[in-house]
Amino acid sequence: MQDDLKAQNAKVRPYRKRDSARLEEIFRAAVAVIGPQYYTAEQVAAWGGPRVTAERLDAMYTDGRRTFIAVDENDRAVAFTDFEADGHVDMLYCDPAFARRGIATLLLSVVKWQAQMQGIERLYTEASEAAKPVFSKAGYEVLHRRELEVDGVTIHNWAMELRL
């Protein structure tokens, strides 16, 4: 991986089946490294639990939703996002080594453009505390804080939307 990859140099492409293991790695690293800045150790452990696997990601990303992968010059995934036909943005994760370089913002701009091309009038998400600033920068507005339980652990995120 090239450490100086910048958002303007990142390439975005659709999901490929061979990406699933790398996307699981990105998810786990993001939760483990970035998550503790916003959540307790117990919350991070629940969030990063066994529900997200390469197999489940592949099943999700071949179900008809649009999935975009930001890649480095070697076509190695460094970040990913998706959106469903109803405008739901389910996941947005970036390898911590590439965080805060505008790559997640770039991915959200691709989602917005694709949604507009499909005639979707609203994008919405449940953003973690870590992702909330990225979604806000992309124009999403906070609707309300959500309290939820993951494996018996209370954690929160933010219901957010972007009207197109």
Side-chain angles (χ1 to χ4, degrees), residues 97-116:
F98 294 90
R100 295 180 177 83
R101 296 184 187 195
I103 296 170
T105 302
L106 172 65
L107 284 170
L108 289 179
S109 70
V110 171
V111 166
K112 179 180 177 181
W113 180 76
Q114 287 289 321
Q116 289 172 320

Side-chain angles (χ1 to χ4, degrees), residues 20 37 42 109 146:
S20 62
Q37 298 171 37
E42 182 182 38
S109 70
R146 298 177 64 241

